[in-house]
Amino acid sequence: MILTVTLNTALDVTHHVPKLIPHASHRVTTVTERAGGKGLNVARVLAALGHDVTATGFAGGRTGAAVRELLAGSPRVTDALVPCAGPTRRTLAVVDRASGDTTQFNEPGPQIGSAEWTAFLARYEALLTGAAAVALCGSLPPGVPVGAYATLVRSARATGVPVLLDTSGEALRRGVAARPEMIKPNAAELAELTGSREPLQATRDARRRGAHAVVTSLGPGGLLAATAQGTWQAAPPRALTGNPTGAGDSAVAGLLSALTEGLDWPERLTRAVALSAATVHAPTAGEFDPRTYEQVRGSVTLTER
């Protein structure tokens, strides 16, 4: 079983409009709702790859109930979310069909009390005993300690479970110091962490801060990975147009699934890049287009750096 942690779960609502025009009224052509937050997107992609997944984090209020109802329809995903008093946040994505661009609105999330955080820690510790790997994903809701991910990384390491951390800001800075197996920032998050905007230098610097491996998302440029076995850049054959929401989460699922299957780094990166590209062609986050995945997987360019 692979464990995914989404402390700030969300009800993801996606609106599609013919063309997004500021200050104008729009007629929405289609609406979709999904159980969201980065870790839940990762969970669905892992399940689609054939892995059994347990998803934990917080869920509360009517939106939390909607998230759990939607999650119940995801095969191979077990709901281990912890109740909280505050309502789970919503996110709204508006997809402009004319340009292919997506505009995102993210609410902050519920206020988490100390008793709720203690209850989550107990659930997490119990779930670690059956986990092959853990993904710690996304933002922290209000009330959760800023060092939360560092605490969760240390707990997993104490039980011998490898951790992939995907967050940003101070939560990432503290989490890296706890020495996770992998981190997966994007270029902007990496620059904030290291102070360097040169991706290769910044990726290597992030490794020196504690992570065993650093895999940086370069958008259309693919992934740049600095590991104990070497440094590689893996890139898709061409830039793909579509909805990029969730593409990074699919990359996390690719990396984590390949880790648990014992694949080497070139194979991990190839899978992650192909899944990320295939998600751009999918209508919503947490999905990927299988045909695009197979096409891109066979033509990923892998370069040693």
Side-chain angles (χ1 to χ4, degrees), residues 225-290:
T227 79
Q229 288 73 45
T231 302
W232 296 271
Q233 182 170 349
R238 64 188 185 283
L240 297 175
T241 58
N243 181 3
T245 305
D249 304 331
S250 290
V252 168
L255 292 167
L256 208 58
S257 62
L259 168 68
T260 61
E261 292 169 27
L263 302 183
D264 63 18
W265 271 105
E267 291 176 293
R268 295 183 200 181
L269 295 170
T270 296
R271 178 181 292 184
V273 166
L275 283 170
S276 182
T279 296
V280 174
H281 273 196
T284 55
E287 295 183 356
F288 63 92
D289 180 72

Side-chain angles (χ1 to χ4, degrees), residues 126-146:
L127 292 170
L128 281 175
T129 60
V134 180
L136 306 176
C137 303
S139 61
L140 301 178
V144 170
V146 71

Side-chain angles (χ1 to χ4, degrees), residues 212-235:
H212 292 274
V214 179
V215 182
T216 304
S217 294
L218 302 177
L223 298 173
L224 177 62
T227 79
Q229 288 73 45
T231 302
W232 296 271
Q233 182 170 349

Side-chain angles (χ1 to χ4, degrees), residues 132-246:
V134 180
L136 306 176
C137 303
S139 61
L140 301 178
V144 170
V146 71
Y149 282 136
T151 298
L152 301 184
V153 170
R154 284 191 291 266
S155 294
R157 291 189 66 225
T159 56
V161 179
V163 181
L164 190 156
L165 175 62
D166 183 14
T167 188
S168 60
E170 187 62 21
L172 174 59
R173 188 180 307 277
R174 298 198 187 194
V176 168
R179 301 186 61 81
E181 184 73 21
M182 279 185 274
I183 63 170
K184 196 214 66 63
N186 60 34
E189 292 163 348
L190 188 67
E192 182 182 7
L193 174 67
T194 65
S196 173
R197 294 195 172 276
E198 200 291 303
L200 183 57
Q201 177 183 333
T203 299
R204 287 173 171 163
D205 182 52
R207 262 201 86 220
R208 288 192 289 270
R209 290 169 183 257
H212 292 274
V214 179
V215 182
T216 304
S217 294
L218 302 177
L223 298 173
L224 177 62
T227 79
Q229 288 73 45
T231 302
W232 296 271
Q233 182 170 349
R238 64 188 185 283
L240 297 175
T241 58
N243 181 3
T245 305

Side-chain angles (χ1 to χ4, degrees), residues 81-109:
L81 295 170
V82 175
C84 62
T88 293
R89 66 189 177 125
R90 296 163 297 178
T91 71
L92 175 63
V94 181
V95 180
D96 182 334
R97 290 191 181 277
S99 66
D101 292 336
T102 301
T103 302
Q104 190 90 10
F105 301 89
N106 296 327
E107 296 178 357

